[in-house]
Amino acid sequence: QLQASGGGLVQAGGSLRLSCAASGRTFSNYVMGWFRQAPGKDRELVGSISVRGISTYYADSVKGRFTISRDNAKNTVYLQMNSLKPEDTAVYYCASSTWSLTDLRSFDSWGQGTELTVSS
């Protein structure tokens, strides 16, 4: 089970950190990813991190602004979001994968979303 939290309302240029707590299985065995879905748009992979945190992936739209990290001791993955833009407004989801950082088909366990609104 995955539980995302930390969303809210923030002004453009601001920062926010999302958290996703995992339970029910061995967290450190799974690649973790953050996705987002804006109204009327497809779900987008924002970033992902390998099981030990050595490798990461970021969508071009967030590269240099967002940082994904994980704490396997706390069974938690984070998404630090800086320099936020109105176009970052979306519902953010965490998900786990057994084998890929970037193949969306591999993410088979999803948490509920947490909503981020960035005002201009």
Side-chain angles (χ1 to χ4, degrees):
Q1 187 175 6
L2 300 172
Q3 182 85 20
S5 61
L9 174 64
V10 63
Q11 287 189 329
S15 298
L16 205 63
R17 188 177 79 161
L18 305 182
S19 300
C20 173
S23 62
R25 51 182 178 173
T26 305
F27 178 75
S28 57
N29 287 347
Y30 295 89
V31 170
M32 297 300 299
W34 282 99
F35 292 75
R36 67 185 180 187
Q37 188 165 22
K41 294 189 176 181
D42 292 336
R43 191 169 293 189
E44 172 191 21
L45 175 61
V46 173
S48 57
I49 187 166
S50 60
V51 295
R52 290 186 179 85
I54 294 172
S55 299
T56 56
Y57 162 84
Y58 295 98
D60 287 344
S61 57
V62 306
K63 211 172 281 185
R65 300 188 297 121
F66 289 13
T67 302
I68 189 170
S69 62
R70 66 190 296 160
D71 186 337
N72 286 345
K74 295 183 178 180
N75 291 347
T76 303
V77 60
Y78 305 96
L79 185 67
Q80 177 67 42
M81 305 181 292
N82 299 328
S83 302
L84 283 163
K85 303 176 181 180
E87 51 262 45
D88 295 318
T89 294
V91 178
Y92 284 73
Y93 302 86
C94 57
S96 64
S97 166
T98 55
W99 55 274
S100 177
L101 283 170
T102 58
D103 190 329
L104 273 63
R105 298 170 299 173
S106 73
F107 288 89
D108 59 1
S109 181
W110 294 82
Q112 94 296 347
T114 185
E115 189 168 2
L116 169 68
T117 302
V118 182
S119 63
S120 57

